[in-house]
Amino acid sequence: MGIAINPSILSADFANLQRELERISTADAAHIDVMDNHFVPNLTWGPPVVKRLREISPVPFDVHLMIEDADRWAPEYASMGCESVTFHAEAAIAPIKLARTLRAEGAKAGMALRPATAVEPYLDMLSELDMLLIMTVEPGFGGQAFLDVTLPKIARAAKAIEGANLPVTVQVDGGITEETILRAAEAGATCFVAGSSVYGVDEALGGPEAAIASLRAAAASVKRSGAGCGCGC
Ligand code: DX5
Ligand code: ZN
């Protein structure tokens, strides 16, 4: 599984989203955080805004739905052409049915877990997914510190996916920097969402594109030894 760097536009300038998407043209995808002020205590954008942004974006969309009633809303993002749609396991009533609907609409199906949600109850449905998102902060806000307590879960998930020989990407989201990406990659993640550490880089230092390159190089430098959890065990 190749390395992917997906910048989160949650840390972008909301007054210039078209330009902000153009500034990450070397990214694998733009990570679009949809929040409803119910599943998380924050509010961003919904289908009409995401649909229009997708039309002008130079990169694919990786939509992360932090919303209740995911069964109702997630398919809309797939049908509007978002390449990947991730719902939260804690918010879906029928996750297998929902993942199948997303795939039938032509999108990759992703499922996310909050930091304290165990992966084990979901191992048998991994074949229904294209991506498993393990949150490395409590969802809702950018700029939080990476939770190392999630590393063993990343390692267990990656091991289960490898063991079953499934083409499921392990994505991590929250607190990813040039330093924490090393531990997440060692644990087995291959797709990295980064908001503040991409958009927070000043143009004088190369801006978001330089940050994407640095994060990509850092992740590529990790030689995984197998089922390591990143804590040196
Ligand atoms: C948080 C969002 C993240 C957020 C990451 O709930 O899901 O995608 O934008 O931001 P950073 O990289 O700043 O932690
Ligand atoms: Zn996110």
Side-chain angles (χ1 to χ4, degrees), residues 8 31 33 64 66 133 135 173 193:
S8 166
H31 183 83
D33 289 303
H64 176 194
M66 286 162 276
L133 165 53
M135 290 303 298
D173 179 8
V193 175

Side-chain angles (χ1 to χ4, degrees), residues 71 94-102:
D71 307 69
I96 295 172
K97 182 181 176 204
L98 179 53
R100 289 184 180 185
T101 302
L102 294 174

Side-chain angles (χ1 to χ4, degrees), residues 34-44 66-68 141:
V34 178
M35 307 186 191
D36 67 352
N37 195 36
H38 291 275
F39 184 73
V40 290
N42 198 359
L43 190 62
T44 55
M66 286 162 276
I67 59 171
E68 288 181 355
F141 300 92

Side-chain angles (χ1 to χ4, degrees), residues 6-11 31-35 40 42 64 66 88 133 135-146 172-177 193-198:
N6 296 1
S8 166
I9 63 166
L10 192 61
S11 295
H31 183 83
I32 312 295
D33 289 303
V34 178
M35 307 186 191
V40 290
N42 198 359
H64 176 194
M66 286 162 276
H88 267 264
L133 165 53
M135 290 303 298
T136 44
V137 297
E138 288 294 350
F141 300 92
Q144 302 180 75
F146 184 87
V172 286
D173 179 8
I176 296 295
T177 64
V193 175
S196 43
S197 69
V198 168

